[in-house]
Amino acid sequence: MNTWLVVINVAALLVLVGVLFYMQRRHVSFSNRVFAGLGLGILFGLALNLIYGTESGVLADSVDWFNIIGSGYVRFLQMIVMPLVFISILAAFTKVSTGKNFGKNAGLILGMLVGTTALAAAIGIGSAVAFNLDASELVQGTAEMERGAALEERSAEVADKTLPRQITELIPANPFLDLTGARPTSTIGVVIFAAFLGVAYLGIGRKETENAAMVKKGIDAIYALVMRVVKLILRLTPYGILAIMARTVATSDFGAIANLGKFVIASYVALIIMFLIHLVIITLNGLNPITYLKKTSETLLFAFTSRSSAGTLPLNIKTQTDRLGLPDATANFAGSFGLSIGQNGCAGIYPAMLAVMIAPSVGINPLDPGFIATLIVVVAISSFGVAGVGGGATFAAILVLSAMNLPVALAGVLISVEPLIDMGRTALNVSGSMTAGVTAASVNKEVDRDVYNGDIRTQPIDA
């Protein structure tokens, strides 16, 4: 009986996939197909949740099959991340201006990422205080206690992650290992390796013009091939969002979410305020924030549903170049650096809120100016090297709580609402990296305003 129910559920998902495929064949716009995938996924997931409940074996088996589409799509994106970062950075150096602006671009982007993370920490602190969050008042069940114990074990493993060590680990000792994504900071390692090769290319160009021309031709050919693969994968976005959203809603524990509702609301208040600050920064760069919102909506939506900054990177870069009018080099620096440095949601708001929540349980006044100032500095410093995949926020929280001498185990009480909050955090992370890219390009007067202000209907990121 259960097998037949699983078959029915999978068949229903395939029918919805067929609806999206029909929309594609009818040339419905990419944006509309993405939002249709979101809506259908929510409705289908809600129906499954109401019919089976979150503990059903039928639902678990059905989700396993859904993951072929949802998780499979994310894995395709992750597959192309390292080749895309590597060849895009390297190809950018074939443009004369890149060598001159590399240091300035990198400095501006890093400054924006870390600066906005410090600001995000301050907003997280304010939201936690305004909602009077206190971890000692939360009830810990078996799952929460097990999660707390696991966090304490992990805390012991990362306790020696001092700032000098974190910075040193950004340097790629083995670039081929980093191309496999083996380290949390692999993306930054690939960026650094590609930049070194790019600088070497510029040196060859000054002394060995024939070899430089041959290298450039090869780089351009590989870049064209990789970008074609990116486009093929991006066409699957509506189907990926459909399956991911159906799985997320179907397996959500709404009862637990209600019990921790105040923390969820406080988190999203902080996330929304920080996103509004991103829009203010866009405005200060002389650009229309509404246009930014429209042109980044699909990318932010995918980040929201997938909960993977790394998986969103191809969409992130394509949006910056094809819709926001940023140079390839700036878009790749901002997108790549944003995976491991200065994530506004995961490394900024979340650990700051946890620290304020946990402080009263050990007799610390969260309103103490010294505590607040120290916390903001620690959050900004700890934001280096946070992985842009699932678990990055947990890693950041462990670093911050350990540095502040606060008990890590109490963070385990939030396990039931982690997925819900992580959706908003990831979208904010991606918006932060795009805002940093726009700012760097604006300062260097490299934003193509005709592209930025152009009609979004003529700028499909899956074409």
Side-chain angles (χ1 to χ4, degrees), residues 185-459:
T185 57
S186 282
T187 306
I188 301 302
V190 170
V191 171
I192 294 172
F193 179 56
F196 266 91
L197 291 179
V199 172
Y201 163 80
L202 295 177
I204 294 174
R206 289 191 294 269
K207 298 179 180 180
E208 305 174 43
T209 54
E210 289 186 7
N211 285 336
M214 186 180 300
V215 171
K216 181 181 186 305
K217 187 175 181 180
I219 291 172
D220 290 346
I222 296 173
Y223 178 77
L225 180 63
V226 170
M227 290 309 298
R228 185 59 185 171
V229 174
V230 169
K231 291 175 183 178
L232 290 174
I233 295 173
L234 292 184
R235 289 177 180 173
L236 302 174
T237 300
Y239 309 104
I241 288 179
L242 165 67
I244 292 169
M245 210 64 214
R247 176 193 66 196
T248 301
V249 175
T251 57
S252 293
D253 187 344
F254 295 108
I257 292 173
N259 291 336
L260 294 170
K262 189 162 72 167
F263 179 78
V264 174
I265 293 172
S267 296
Y268 272 91
V269 166
L271 293 169
I272 291 170
I273 291 174
M274 191 62 210
F275 182 72
L276 292 176
I277 290 175
H278 288 172
L279 297 183
V280 171
I281 294 172
I282 296 296
T283 305
L284 293 176
N285 283 314
L287 300 168
N288 188 328
I290 303 301
T291 301
Y292 170 84
L293 186 60
K294 290 179 180 177
K295 294 198 169 185
T296 61
S297 59
E298 294 153 13
T299 301
L300 296 179
L301 176 61
F302 177 74
F304 184 85
T305 54
S306 68
R307 298 166 50 205
S308 172
S309 298
T312 311
L313 183 62
L315 276 167
N316 184 342
I317 293 173
K318 286 279 289 178
T319 299
Q320 291 188 59
T321 55
D322 294 3
R323 289 186 171 178
L324 302 181
L326 273 57
D328 287 343
T330 302
N332 278 279
F333 291 153
S336 303
F337 285 149
L339 290 185
S340 298
I341 296 174
Q343 294 188 347
N344 290 183
C346 289
I349 288 175
Y350 184 66
M353 290 186 69
L354 282 183
V356 172
M357 284 179 60
I358 293 172
S361 68
V362 292
I364 297 176
N365 179 9
L367 295 177
D368 179 71
F371 172 82
I372 292 175
T374 302
L375 178 57
I376 291 174
V377 171
V378 168
V379 167
I381 292 174
S382 298
S383 69
F384 282 82
V386 175
V389 293
T394 300
F395 182 74
I398 289 172
L399 287 175
V400 171
L401 296 177
S402 298
M404 298 294 293
N405 293 317
L406 295 172
V408 174
L410 284 177
V413 298
L414 304 174
I415 181 175
S416 56
V417 295
E418 266 289 299
L420 179 62
I421 299 171
D422 197 35
M423 297 167 82
R425 290 191 311 233
T426 306
L428 187 67
N429 294 342
V430 173
S431 177
S433 71
M434 289 194 285
T435 301
V438 169
T439 301
S442 179
V443 170
N444 290 323
K445 295 181 171 55
E446 293 179 335
V447 178
D448 188 331
R449 293 178 181 266
D450 289 335
V451 173
Y452 186 92
N453 296 315
D455 189 345
I456 192 173
R457 290 173 295 181
T458 64
Q459 300 170 333

Side-chain angles (χ1 to χ4, degrees), residues 125-207:
I125 293 170
S127 182
V129 170
F131 280 85
N132 194 29
L133 300 181
D134 188 344
S136 62
E137 297 177 355
L138 300 178
V139 178
Q140 298 191 56
T142 303
E144 286 77 10
M145 293 180 69
E146 290 177 352
R147 167 74 165 175
L151 290 177
E152 285 186 325
E153 291 179 6
R154 191 172 179 186
S155 175
E157 296 175 1
V158 302
D160 61 347
K161 292 282 185 179
T162 61
L163 178 60
R165 291 182 182 179
Q166 291 181 55
I167 294 175
T168 302
E169 288 182 358
L170 297 178
I171 301 172
N174 183 347
F176 298 101
L177 178 67
D178 282 334
L179 283 168
T180 68
R183 302 188 303 139
T185 57
S186 282
T187 306
I188 301 302
V190 170
V191 171
I192 294 172
F193 179 56
F196 266 91
L197 291 179
V199 172
Y201 163 80
L202 295 177
I204 294 174
R206 289 191 294 269
K207 298 179 180 180

